[in-house]
Amino acid sequence: MSEEERRAIEADCARLIARYANLNDAADWQGVADLYADDGRMARPTAPEDWTQGRAAILAAFLARPARTTRHVCSNVVIDVISPTQAVGESAMLLFTSEGAPKVGSFHDRFVLTAAGWRFAERRGSLTF
């Protein structure tokens, strides 16, 4: 893999992280779910051991959430390319909500290249404080 190909994968995966935050803040749950591979799985920062698997189940989990106003700020995004079709990443997340104090956490991601482009194979959040 060339340096240019590696950097393109890193950029695509970092963009996926930013799109996730923006779509989440817009309450576009279908858009968020579409960022996952068909068999992708997620664990929210508030429940890092509680996995939801499959795009349909992820969409249902987001639709079941009560409405709220949020703003996610992503930083410290580092993507490591494993192969032309797989990558992993870590990012810091600052969450502001209309419901209380800001929360600081992180996401550990696995990415996979699908026919539709790069998608989350796994997204696991955790809270620092």
Side-chain angles (χ1 to χ4, degrees), residues 16 28 49 63 67 75 108 123 126:
L16 201 62
D28 182 346
E49 303 301 325
L63 289 171
S75 68
H108 289 83
R123 179 147 243 240
S126 61

Side-chain angles (χ1 to χ4, degrees), residues 1 5-14 79 81 83-84 87 118:
M1 166 182 335
E5 290 168 324
R6 183 185 62 76
R7 287 180 191 253
I9 293 169
E10 290 172 351
D12 287 349
C13 292
I79 307 297
V81 178
S83 75
W118 286 93

